[in-house]
Amino acid sequence: MEPILTNYGKIIGIDQGAYLEYRGVPYAEPPIGELRWKAPRPPKSWEGILHADTYANCCMQKPETHPLYRKEFYGNSAFRRTPSEDCLYLNIWTPKEKEERPFPVAFWIHGGGFLSGYATELEFDGAEYAKRGVILVSVEYRCNLFGFLAHPWLSAENERGISGNYGILDQIAALDWVAENIASFGGDPGNITVFGQSAGAMSTQTLLTSKLSKGKIAKGILQSGGGYRGGLVQDMPLHMQEEYGKCFAELAGVSSLQELRELPAERILDLLEPLFEKIFPPSKGLFLLPVQDGYVLDSGYDEAIEQGKIPDIPLILGTTKDDLLVTEEMKEQGISGILHKGCVEWAKERKRQGHGDTWVYYFTRELPGDEAGAIHSAELWYMFGTLKRCWRPMEERDWKLSAEMLDYWINFMKNGNPNGNGTEMWIPCGEDGFEVKELG
């Protein structure tokens, strides 16, 4: 296996037989000490060869507490990672074939409500993509208070007078690293698909909205998070996030930026729950979110769509049948919910503006093994091809659905269209009425 020369030094990964894998590649300096709550800085160069054979830490976070998701995705100790502020790393899965280069690149952003989650969870893997001729990159980024805290003290020290958005700046730094280095791995920096689920979809919409990502994203897939006039994204003014930051400083009992930075990481995490108890009711939902700071985001999400600020690139949008914000009454009536409505409305608006094709899906497969249904995140097992890792008694139809979704996702990443290779036709939303592809 030949070492790869990046802009920062040589690395060597793992030969997995059918593909190559590079684990724990640094894309920025560790955001520790004085770099806590600052924009990421490029990694330092290294001498010799970096052996990228070990997955890195996940961002600082508490273990998953919801019993359903704890069992679903976090029950296997082999896939648990150590939380740390030193977390700015990415992982790369590449095909072995050299004659088919350059390969399209898929840039995966994990979910977790901007509070938790990590790039190498049990359900995530780039193997099936690499085997099919796509390079997959998964990225760690700062979450919760470490990634989204804003405060007047932090804004005052910043040359732009802003704070927050560190987690999004991490993602942009990782995207820049990929654009600058992926050709050395056989990838095409001009054909990067950014995709994510839940907070990862919200992040994808944020990157599409931000001028800092302009020209870097060729295609996007947003799963259960992004949308127009519906979805999980919400406009968060900087001044409001700064007020939440003041509440945090009061809870922490600190009176200066220096004292704030000197707080042990574990102490910051311990204060997250009491902060939520204080802020969550008036905020009416998640509040540690990307903020409109005039730099990363200079407009609201719906406004950006209406004003044509989103790149005119192919998109796939979709949700699951029993997704977030779908009530039992809605399930009984067969109503799809506001997240799905946000996908369809975005497709309609893109069609109205004469933009390129938008494919919308609706994942309806009720997971076997219990009565959970087609829950939020249910599709991850299928579009990553990781059914073998799941505890559920998968059936033949599940394997067939997984193969179908992998074909759609990979066709899209290669050609900007999910159709091809014998897949059942998926009509773009807006071409014939407002078509939605049921995946189930």
Side-chain angles (χ1 to χ4, degrees):
M1 183 176 181
E2 294 290 328
I4 298 292
L5 178 61
T6 73
N7 289 351
Y8 303 96
K10 293 181 179 180
I11 71 172
I12 192 166
I14 306 170
D15 188 334
Q16 299 285 24
Y19 59 94
L20 305 176
E21 185 179 0
Y22 303 83
R23 300 176 175 179
V25 179
Y27 69 83
E29 279 194 57
I32 58 179
E34 287 301 310
L35 297 186
R36 179 191 281 174
W37 296 313
K38 287 187 178 180
R41 297 182 181 179
K44 289 185 171 69
S45 299
W46 58 84
E47 298 292 333
I49 297 177
L50 175 67
H51 289 266
D53 55 7
T54 304
Y55 293 124
N57 305 316
C58 64
C59 68
M60 289 297 296
Q61 59 188 273
K62 292 288 189 181
E64 175 62 53
T65 57
H66 193 292
L68 174 61
Y69 288 101
R70 187 170 64 245
K71 179 180 180 180
E72 190 74 14
F73 301 126
Y74 305 102
N76 189 328
S77 60
F79 288 84
R80 293 179 194 147
R81 305 290 171 244
T82 302
S84 172
E85 288 188 84
D86 181 5
C87 62
L88 301 187
Y89 300 84
L90 51 80
N91 312 289
I92 308 169
W93 292 259
T94 73
K96 269 191 167 181
E97 299 81 0
K98 293 186 177 181
E99 62 274 9
E100 296 180 17
R101 296 185 177 190
F103 299 108
V105 181
F107 184 92
W108 172 253
I109 307 175
H110 70 77
F114 293 116
L115 296 171
S116 60
Y118 47 96
T120 57
E121 292 177 8
L122 177 64
E123 72 277 22
F124 303 148
D125 201 291
E128 294 303 320
Y129 288 80
K131 291 175 185 176
R132 290 165 168 81
V134 172
I135 291 177
L136 190 137
V137 179
S138 68
V139 57
E140 303 288 357
Y141 59 96
R142 284 172 284 182
C143 294
N144 54 70
L145 288 162
F146 296 92
F148 295 93
L149 177 72
H151 192 285
W153 296 337
L154 292 166
S155 297
E157 74 165 1
N158 184 277
E159 61 182 8
R160 297 182 178 87
I162 59 176
S163 57
N165 280 338
Y166 308 111
I168 299 299
L169 290 168
D170 293 342
Q171 296 169 12
I172 294 171
L175 184 60
D176 288 342
W177 190 98
V178 170
E180 294 165 5
N181 292 280
I182 206 65
S184 297
F185 296 83
D188 182 355
N191 188 11
I192 298 175
T193 299
V194 174
F195 69 138
Q197 184 265 348
S198 194
M202 298 163 71
S203 296
T204 301
Q205 186 163 348
T206 301
L207 297 186
L208 292 174
T209 305
S210 176
K211 60 182 181 291
L212 301 183
S213 305
K214 188 174 181 180
K216 302 172 184 177
I217 304 173
K219 300 179 271 297
I221 303 175
L222 296 88
Q223 304 174 205
S224 297
Y228 171 60
R229 296 183 179 177
L232 296 179
V233 291
Q234 56 181 287
D235 298 342
M236 174 65 71
L238 175 58
H239 69 85
M240 185 176 296
Q241 192 70 281
E242 287 180 329
E243 288 300 314
Y244 298 151
K246 288 180 184 178
C247 290
F248 169 70
E250 290 174 7
L251 284 171
V254 298
S255 56
S256 70
L257 179 55
Q258 180 178 346
E259 290 180 5
L260 192 66
R261 278 221 169 88
E262 289 175 351
L263 286 171
E266 293 74 15
R267 172 64 175 157
I268 294 172
L269 267 190
D270 288 341
L271 290 170
L272 188 57
E273 185 174 347
L275 180 65
F276 256 81
E277 291 175 356
K278 188 172 184 179
I279 300 300
F280 198 81
S283 72
K284 298 179 181 179
L286 296 174
F287 61 90
L288 291 170
L289 299 169
V291 298
Q292 292 174 256
D293 59 0
Y295 177 60
V296 174
L297 289 173
D298 54 15
S299 65
Y301 291 102
D302 287 353
E303 177 188 353
I305 291 173
E306 292 163 356
Q307 295 181 359
K309 294 181 179 179
I310 304 295
D312 184 7
I313 60 175
L315 295 180
I316 289 177
L317 312 170
T319 62
T320 64
K321 179 174 67 69
D322 302 320
D323 219 317
L324 299 178
L325 307 179
V326 176
T327 65
E328 289 300 324
E329 183 179 359
M330 293 166 68
K331 293 177 186 179
E332 292 173 3
Q333 297 177 11
I335 299 174
S336 58
I338 191 170
L339 297 191
H340 191 69
K341 177 178 179 292
C343 294
V344 174
E345 289 300 316
W346 194 355
K348 287 182 179 180
E349 181 62 17
R350 279 169 55 85
K351 187 69 174 179
R352 188 188 68 78
Q353 294 182 18
H355 284 187
D357 288 331
T358 310
W359 289 268
V360 177
Y361 73 86
Y362 190 49
F363 184 90
T364 60
R365 172 56 170 148
E366 297 185 356
L367 296 177
D370 59 18
E371 301 300 318
I375 57 171
H376 182 71
S377 307
E379 83 280 17
L380 296 175
W381 296 116
Y382 296 80
M383 39 74 59
F384 274 106
T386 51
L387 297 185
K388 285 184 179 179
R389 295 180 181 175
C390 186
W391 66 270
R392 296 176 178 278
M394 296 298 182
E395 304 168 8
E396 182 179 348
R397 62 179 289 193
D398 295 295
W399 293 99
K400 182 178 178 181
L401 176 59
S402 178
E404 179 184 30
M405 292 185 69
L406 280 165
D407 282 342
Y408 282 137
W409 265 236
I410 289 168
N411 288 341
F412 180 78
M413 291 164 177
K414 289 181 175 180
N415 308 310
N417 187 321
N419 296 297
N421 295 334
T423 56
E424 181 179 304
M425 179 61 66
W426 184 350
I427 301 173
C429 193
E431 207 170 82
D432 181 15
F434 285 98
E435 294 284 343
V436 172
K437 180 69 173 177
E438 181 176 337
L439 297 171

Coordinates of all heavy atoms in Angstrom, one line a residue, residues 237-279:
P237 N -30.8 34.4 15.6 CA -30.0 35.6 15.6 C -28.8 35.5 16.6 O -28.9 34.9 17.6 CB -31.0 36.7 16.0 CG -32.3 36.1 15.8 CD -32.2 34.6 16.0
L238 N -27.7 36.1 16.3 CA -26.5 36.1 17.1 C -26.9 36.7 18.5 O -26.5 36.1 19.5 CB -25.4 36.9 16.5 CG -24.1 37.1 17.4 CD1 -23.6 35.7 17.8 CD2 -23.1 37.9 16.6
H239 N -27.6 37.8 18.6 CA -27.9 38.4 19.9 C -28.7 37.4 20.8 O -28.5 37.4 22.0 CB -28.6 39.7 19.7 CG -30.0 39.6 19.2 ND1 -31.1 39.3 20.0 CD2 -30.6 39.6 18.0 CE1 -32.2 39.2 19.3 NE2 -31.9 39.4 18.1
M240 N -29.5 36.6 20.2 CA -30.3 35.7 21.0 C -29.4 34.6 21.6 O -29.4 34.2 22.7 CB -31.4 35.1 20.2 CG -32.4 34.2 21.0 SD -33.8 33.6 20.0 CE -34.6 35.1 19.7
Q241 N -28.5 34.1 20.7 CA -27.6 33.0 21.1 C -26.6 33.6 22.2 O -26.2 32.9 23.1 CB -26.8 32.5 19.9 CG -26.0 31.2 20.2 CD -26.9 30.0 20.4 OE1 -27.4 29.8 21.5 NE2 -27.0 29.2 19.4
E242 N -26.3 34.9 22.1 CA -25.4 35.5 23.1 C -26.1 35.6 24.5 O -25.5 35.4 25.5 CB -25.0 36.9 22.7 CG -24.0 36.9 21.6 CD -23.6 38.3 21.1 OE1 -24.4 39.2 21.2 OE2 -22.4 38.5 20.7
E243 N -27.4 35.8 24.4 CA -28.2 35.8 25.7 C -28.2 34.4 26.3 O -28.0 34.3 27.5 CB -29.6 36.2 25.4 CG -29.8 37.7 25.1 CD -29.3 38.6 26.2 OE1 -29.6 38.4 27.4 OE2 -28.5 39.6 25.9
Y244 N -28.3 33.4 25.5 CA -28.2 32.0 26.1 C -26.8 31.8 26.6 O -26.7 31.1 27.7 CB -28.5 31.0 25.0 CG -29.9 31.1 24.4 CD1 -30.2 30.7 23.1 CD2 -31.0 31.5 25.2 CE1 -31.5 30.8 22.6 CE2 -32.3 31.6 24.6 CZ -32.5 31.2 23.3 OH -33.8 31.3 22.8
G245 N -25.8 32.4 26.0 CA -24.4 32.2 26.5 C -24.2 32.9 27.8 O -23.5 32.4 28.7
K246 N -24.9 34.0 28.0 CA -24.9 34.7 29.3 C -25.4 33.8 30.4 O -24.9 33.8 31.5 CB -25.6 36.0 29.2 CG -25.0 37.1 28.4 CD -25.9 38.4 28.4 CE -25.3 39.5 27.6 NZ -26.3 40.7 27.6
C247 N -26.5 33.1 30.1 CA -27.1 32.2 31.1 C -26.1 31.1 31.4 O -26.0 30.7 32.6 CB -28.4 31.6 30.5 SG -29.8 32.8 30.3
F248 N -25.4 30.6 30.4 CA -24.4 29.6 30.7 C -23.3 30.1 31.6 O -22.9 29.4 32.6 CB -23.8 29.1 29.4 CG -22.6 28.2 29.6 CD1 -22.8 26.9 30.2 CD2 -21.3 28.6 29.3 CE1 -21.7 26.1 30.4 CE2 -20.2 27.8 29.6 CZ -20.4 26.6 30.1
A249 N -22.8 31.3 31.4 CA -21.8 31.9 32.2 C -22.2 32.1 33.6 O -21.5 31.9 34.6 CB -21.3 33.2 31.6
E250 N -23.5 32.5 33.8 CA -24.1 32.6 35.1 C -24.1 31.3 35.9 O -23.8 31.2 37.0 CB -25.5 33.3 35.1 CG -25.5 34.7 34.6 CD -26.9 35.2 34.4 OE1 -27.8 34.5 34.7 OE2 -27.0 36.4 33.9
L251 N -24.6 30.3 35.2 CA -24.6 28.9 35.7 C -23.2 28.4 36.1 O -23.1 27.8 37.1 CB -25.3 27.9 34.8 CG -26.8 28.0 34.6 CD1 -27.2 27.1 33.5 CD2 -27.5 27.5 35.9
A252 N -22.3 28.8 35.3 CA -20.9 28.3 35.5 C -20.2 29.1 36.7 O -19.2 28.7 37.2 CB -20.1 28.4 34.3
G253 N -20.8 30.3 37.0 CA -20.2 31.1 38.1 C -18.9 31.8 37.7 O -18.1 32.0 38.5
V254 N -18.8 32.1 36.4 CA -17.6 32.8 35.9 C -17.9 34.3 35.6 O -19.0 34.6 35.3 CB -17.0 32.1 34.6 CG1 -16.6 30.7 35.0 CG2 -18.0 32.1 33.5
S255 N -16.8 35.1 35.7 CA -17.0 36.5 35.5 C -16.1 37.1 34.4 O -16.0 38.3 34.3 CB -16.8 37.3 36.8 OG -15.5 37.0 37.3
S256 N -15.4 36.2 33.7 CA -14.5 36.7 32.6 C -14.3 35.6 31.6 O -14.6 34.4 31.8 CB -13.1 37.1 33.2 OG -12.4 35.9 33.6
L257 N -13.8 36.0 30.4 CA -13.6 35.1 29.3 C -12.5 34.1 29.8 O -12.5 32.9 29.4 CB -13.1 35.8 28.1 CG -12.8 35.0 26.8 CD1 -13.9 34.0 26.5 CD2 -12.4 35.9 25.6
Q258 N -11.5 34.6 30.5 CA -10.4 33.7 30.9 C -10.9 32.6 31.8 O -10.6 31.4 31.6 CB -9.3 34.5 31.7 CG -8.2 33.6 32.2 CD -7.1 34.4 32.9 OE1 -7.1 35.7 32.8 NE2 -6.2 33.7 33.6
E259 N -11.8 33.0 32.7 CA -12.4 31.9 33.6 C -13.3 31.0 32.8 O -13.3 29.8 33.1 CB -13.2 32.6 34.7 CG -12.4 33.4 35.7 CD -13.3 34.0 36.8 OE1 -14.5 33.8 36.8 OE2 -12.8 34.8 37.6
L260 N -13.9 31.5 31.8 CA -14.8 30.6 30.9 C -13.9 29.6 30.2 O -14.2 28.4 30.2 CB -15.5 31.5 29.9 CG -16.6 30.9 29.1 CD1 -17.8 30.5 30.0 CD2 -17.1 31.8 28.0
R261 N -12.8 30.0 29.7 CA -11.9 29.1 29.0 C -11.2 28.1 29.9 O -10.7 27.1 29.5 CB -10.8 29.9 28.2 CG -11.3 30.4 26.8 CD -10.3 30.3 25.7 NE -11.0 30.6 24.5 CZ -11.1 31.8 23.9 NH1 -10.6 32.8 24.6 NH2 -11.7 32.0 22.8
E262 N -11.0 28.5 31.1 CA -10.3 27.6 32.1 C -11.2 26.6 32.7 O -10.8 25.7 33.4 CB -9.7 28.5 33.2 CG -8.5 29.3 32.7 CD -8.0 30.2 33.8 OE1 -8.7 30.4 34.9 OE2 -6.9 30.9 33.6
L263 N -12.5 26.6 32.4 CA -13.5 25.6 32.9 C -13.0 24.2 32.3 O -12.8 24.1 31.1 CB -14.9 25.9 32.4 CG -15.6 27.0 33.1 CD1 -17.0 27.3 32.4 CD2 -15.9 26.7 34.6
P264 N -13.0 23.2 33.2 CA -12.7 21.9 32.7 C -13.8 21.4 31.7 O -15.0 21.8 31.9 CB -12.8 21.0 34.0 CG -12.5 22.0 35.1 CD -13.1 23.3 34.6
A265 N -13.5 20.7 30.7 CA -14.4 20.3 29.7 C -15.6 19.5 30.3 O -16.7 19.6 29.9 CB -13.7 19.4 28.6
E266 N -15.3 18.7 31.3 CA -16.3 17.9 32.0 C -17.3 18.8 32.7 O -18.5 18.5 32.7 CB -15.7 16.9 32.9 CG -14.9 15.8 32.3 CD -13.5 16.2 31.8 OE1 -13.1 17.3 32.2 OE2 -12.9 15.5 31.0
R267 N -16.8 19.9 33.3 CA -17.7 20.8 34.0 C -18.6 21.5 33.0 O -19.8 21.7 33.3 CB -16.8 21.9 34.7 CG -17.6 23.0 35.3 CD -18.5 22.6 36.4 NE -19.2 23.7 37.0 CZ -20.3 23.7 37.7 NH1 -20.9 22.5 37.8 NH2 -20.8 24.7 38.3
I268 N -18.2 21.8 31.8 CA -19.0 22.4 30.8 C -20.1 21.4 30.4 O -21.3 21.8 30.3 CB -18.1 22.8 29.5 CG1 -17.2 23.9 29.9 CG2 -19.0 23.2 28.4 CD1 -16.1 24.2 28.8
L269 N -19.8 20.2 30.2 CA -20.8 19.2 29.8 C -21.8 19.0 31.0 O -23.0 18.9 30.7 CB -20.1 17.8 29.6 CG -19.7 17.5 28.1 CD1 -19.3 16.0 28.0 CD2 -20.9 17.8 27.2
D270 N -21.3 19.0 32.2 CA -22.2 18.9 33.3 C -23.3 20.0 33.4 O -24.4 19.8 34.0 CB -21.5 18.8 34.6 CG -20.7 17.4 34.8 OD1 -21.1 16.5 34.1 OD2 -19.8 17.4 35.6
L271 N -22.9 21.2 32.9 CA -23.8 22.3 33.0 C -24.8 22.3 31.8 O -25.7 23.2 31.8 CB -23.0 23.6 32.9 CG -22.1 23.9 34.2 CD1 -21.2 25.1 34.0 CD2 -23.1 24.2 35.4
L272 N -24.6 21.4 30.9 CA -25.5 21.4 29.7 C -27.0 21.1 30.1 O -27.9 21.8 29.7 CB -25.0 20.4 28.7 CG -25.7 20.4 27.3 CD1 -25.7 21.7 26.7 CD2 -25.1 19.3 26.4
E273 N -27.2 20.1 31.0 CA -28.5 19.8 31.4 C -29.2 20.9 32.2 O -30.4 21.3 31.8 CB -28.5 18.5 32.2 CG -29.9 18.0 32.6 CD -29.9 16.7 33.3 OE1 -28.8 16.0 33.3 OE2 -30.9 16.3 33.8
P274 N -28.6 21.5 33.2 CA -29.3 22.7 33.8 C -29.5 23.8 32.9 O -30.5 24.6 33.0 CB -28.3 23.0 35.0 CG -27.1 22.3 34.7 CD -27.4 21.1 33.9
L275 N -28.6 24.0 31.9 CA -28.8 25.1 31.0 C -30.1 24.8 30.1 O -30.9 25.7 29.9 CB -27.6 25.2 30.1 CG -27.7 26.3 29.0 CD1 -27.8 27.7 29.6 CD2 -26.5 26.3 28.0
F276 N -30.2 23.5 29.7 CA -31.4 23.1 28.9 C -32.7 23.4 29.8 O -33.7 23.8 29.2 CB -31.3 21.7 28.5 CG -30.9 21.5 27.1 CD1 -29.6 21.6 26.7 CD2 -31.9 21.3 26.1 CE1 -29.3 21.5 25.3 CE2 -31.6 21.1 24.8 CZ -30.3 21.2 24.4
E277 N -32.6 23.0 31.0 CA -33.8 23.2 31.9 C -34.2 24.7 31.9 O -35.4 25.0 32.0 CB -33.5 22.7 33.3 CG -33.4 21.1 33.3 CD -33.0 20.6 34.7 OE1 -32.7 21.5 35.6 OE2 -32.9 19.4 34.9
K278 N -33.2 25.5 31.9 CA -33.5 27.0 31.9 C -33.9 27.6 30.6 O -34.8 28.5 30.5 CB -32.3 27.7 32.5 CG -32.5 29.2 32.8 CD -31.2 29.7 33.5 CE -31.5 31.2 33.9 NZ -30.3 31.8 34.6
I279 N -33.3 27.1 29.5 CA -33.5 27.7 28.2 C -34.5 27.1 27.3 O -35.2 27.7 26.6 CB -32.1 27.8 27.5 CG1 -31.1 28.6 28.2 CG2 -32.3 28.4 26.1 CD1 -31.5 30.0 28.5

